[in-house]
Amino acid sequence: MAQPLKIIFAGTPDFAASALQALLSTEHRVVAVYTQPDRPAGRGRKVQFSPVKQLAVEHDLEVFQPKTLKDPEAQQILQRHQADLMVVVAYGLLLPQAVLDIPRLGCINIHASLLPRWRGAAPIQRAILAGDEMSGVTIMQMEAGLDTGPMLSIRSTPIDPAETGGSLHDRLAELGSEALIEVLPGLSEGRVKAIPQDDSQANYASKLDKEEARVDWSQSAVQIDRQVRAFNPWPVAHCLYGEKVMRVWNSEVVSGDGSATPGQVVATGKTGFDVATGEGVLRITQLQMPGKRAMAAGDFLNAHTMDGVVLT
């Protein structure tokens, strides 16, 4: 019979907090929580706890926030917890081999892709941008390479044609938590078989950059729509309306006259306005102007004449 495990949890954002919350509902004992140091955030730039730290504090868990785990002193502190396992979820720090070797059962990671499809920092957004039809989570035994470790469990989910980075993030967070809890008993008893990754199928999911959220209207409507969905809620696809930045929150590919200049508005209606692209027509259905809240494009049209306007 599987014995409850002593677990060190390491994570930082909301995605990781979901997994910690799931662990706290089991018989396993979280003996320490590691998360990124507190940093200024929001408009007021006030120092804020990470979502993982907020949850840990609510449950009176001991929190550690080293700037690096390469420091021998930090490694000695980690060793004192005498944990069976370390669970790492979007922690944000590299784990040196010395740390990977400390827990009796090693370190495992919840990765938000069907490995080895997307290794790296932004697998959710890269999957949508690439037009993947499936996504999922992989529970992986960690090793020194970037997301290269053998796989312990895989859960998949289809990517809906209207899927955004935000909606897929939330679904994968739930899937990842479920997969983590399911794999722990087998890991405790040593009956989980790790499957090596096929390195020849790996792609690198690089970190998101605000600049790549700028819409290039010479791209196809299909590709721009993927861009809009992938970068919702961050960094949000955008273009210029005159000299003002228009943030595009939602869109859809529609049939229509795509022979106009890319970026030109070719039709307007109650649900939004249609923009010619390098191939096909894209309907903008939700947008945001500077200093304003996001609004339905149909409402924006009540105060703005868009016919013939060229977005850049």
Side-chain angles (χ1 to χ4, degrees):
M1 183 176 177
Q3 296 297 314
L5 297 172
K6 291 173 63 178
I7 295 174
I8 296 171
F9 186 87
T12 300
D14 288 325
F15 190 87
S18 297
L20 177 58
Q21 182 70 67
L23 272 179
L24 293 173
S25 67
T26 69
E27 72 277 19
H28 304 291
R29 186 157 69 92
V30 178
V31 295
V33 172
Y34 281 69
T35 190
Q36 287 271 313
D38 303 334
R39 292 194 173 93
R43 290 188 175 183
R45 306 304 295 164
K46 292 183 179 178
V47 175
Q48 295 184 6
F49 292 176
S50 72
V52 163
K53 183 175 179 179
Q54 290 179 35
L55 183 60
V57 170
E58 290 171 11
H59 288 268
D60 293 325
L61 299 172
E62 195 169 12
V63 176
F64 297 85
Q65 297 176 278
K67 292 182 179 178
T68 175
L69 288 176
K70 296 179 182 177
D71 180 8
E73 185 177 351
Q75 294 172 11
Q76 288 177 5
I77 294 172
L78 198 143
Q79 195 160 21
R80 287 177 197 156
H81 303 308
Q82 297 186 316
D84 298 308
L85 180 71
M86 187 167 179
V87 175
V88 182
V89 189
Y91 178 29
L93 284 185
L94 291 175
L95 271 57
Q97 190 63 48
V99 170
L100 296 175
D101 292 339
I102 289 176
R104 180 176 62 86
L105 297 173
C107 303
I108 64 173
N109 173 248
I110 301 176
H111 187 72
S113 89
L114 298 172
L115 286 171
R117 174 60 175 153
W118 293 110
R119 295 173 176 169
I124 296 174
Q125 294 82 1
R126 299 295 169 201
I128 294 175
L129 274 173
D132 289 2
E133 294 182 353
M134 297 294 294
S135 181
V137 293
T138 305
I139 308 296
M140 172 188 61
Q141 188 80 50
M142 295 181 71
E143 58 181 30
L146 177 65
D147 301 329
T148 58
M151 302 174 291
L152 304 171
S153 175
I154 300 171
R155 297 282 292 269
S156 62
T157 182
I159 297 179
D160 187 88
E163 191 91 60
T164 66
S167 64
L168 184 56
H169 166 281
D170 293 348
R171 197 158 74 255
L172 294 186
E174 187 174 340
L175 269 183
S177 299
E178 293 172 0
L180 171 66
I181 301 310
E182 284 181 3
V183 82
L184 290 180
L187 201 61
S188 173
E189 295 175 330
R191 55 180 169 80
V192 176
K193 184 178 180 181
I195 302 172
Q197 295 186 37
D198 180 356
D199 293 340
S200 69
Q201 300 299 312
N203 298 280
Y204 179 58
S206 59
K207 187 177 179 180
L208 299 183
D209 187 316
K210 284 185 178 180
E211 288 303 312
E212 62 180 315
R214 175 74 181 268
V215 173
D216 175 0
W217 293 106
S218 69
Q219 296 285 308
S220 71
V222 168
Q223 187 57 44
I224 296 171
D225 180 60
R226 290 176 185 169
Q227 183 184 22
V228 170
R229 292 186 289 108
F231 295 157
N232 177 349
W234 195 90
V236 185
H238 61 272
C239 60
L240 287 181
Y241 167 51
E243 295 183 352
K244 294 183 178 178
V245 174
M246 174 184 285
R247 306 176 85 194
V248 182
W249 283 93
N250 279 302
S251 64
E252 59 187 56
V253 178
V254 296
S255 59
D257 180 11
S259 62
T261 301
Q264 183 174 355
V265 177
V266 294
T268 60
K270 292 182 179 178
T271 57
F273 51 88
D274 298 350
V275 186
T277 72
E279 182 181 345
V281 176
L282 186 78
R283 178 169 296 164
I284 294 178
T285 58
Q286 188 183 32
L287 57 87
Q288 184 178 20
M289 297 305 295
K292 306 290 185 182
R293 293 185 177 182
M295 66 174 71
D299 293 339
F300 180 78
L301 291 173
N302 291 333
H304 299 81
T305 301
M306 295 296 289
D307 294 293
V309 166
V310 177
L311 303 173
T312 58

